[in-house]
Amino acid sequence: MKKKQIFLSLFLIIAFLSFPPFAPDVLAYIGPGAGIAFFSSFFIFVVTFLLAFFIILFWPLRFLYQCFKRKIKYRKYFDSNSHRKTKKVVVIGLDGLDPKLAEDFMQRGMLPNFSSLEKEGSFHQLRTTCPAISPVAWSSFSTGMTP
C-alpha cells in the first residue's frame, strides 16, 4: 500500500510541475560539455572506488608475497649464524661540490682526509638527475629510482 502511495504522489508532483501554467520559465542553456564533464567525473569516481576495493581485497595476498620475496631476497646476505657477510659502507655526499674540484684539492693536499679515504676505500663520481636539483637528486640516490 505504501509503495502505491509514494508512486502516486511522485507522479502527481511531476505532472503538476510539468504543465505550462505551473512550470517555471527556463531560460538557461546547458550545452553538451556539461554532460561530458558530469559523466567523466562520475567515471573517475567509479574507477577510483573500484581500484580502492580491489586494493583492499588483494592487500593480504600482496603482503604475504612481499614477505616471502623479502625473505628469499636477503637470505644470501646472511650465513647460518645470522651474521652479515657484507662489510659496512659509509657514503659521503657533498651537495653542490664539483667532483673535479674535490679531486684537484685532494691532489694539492688541501683535503688530506678525503685523500686517505680514497686510498683506503674508493672515490667515484656520480651522475646527477634531470632536473639537477638537490631534492630530486638525493631522493633518487636514496631510493635507487629515477625521478
Side-chain angles (χ1 to χ4, degrees), residues 6 15 22 30 32 36 39 43 60 72 81 91-92 97 107 119:
I6 292 172
F22 303 108
I30 299 175
I36 292 170
F39 284 115
F43 179 71
I72 291 174
N81 297 331
V91 176
I92 299 174
L97 177 66
Q107 288 174 357
K119 291 174 188 172

Side-chain angles (χ1 to χ4, degrees), residues 62-95:
R62 291 184 67 227
F63 179 74
L64 290 173
Y65 173 73
Q66 290 294 329
C67 288
F68 182 69
K69 182 178 163 185
R70 191 173 298 129
K71 187 181 281 186
I72 291 174
K73 184 177 180 181
Y74 294 112
R75 188 179 295 161
K76 63 183 177 181
Y77 295 110
F78 296 96
D79 62 4
S80 61
N81 297 331
S82 294
H83 290 83
R84 291 185 178 264
K85 289 183 178 180
T86 58
K87 297 179 181 179
K88 292 182 180 179
V89 175
V90 175
V91 176
I92 299 174
L94 300 173
D95 194 7

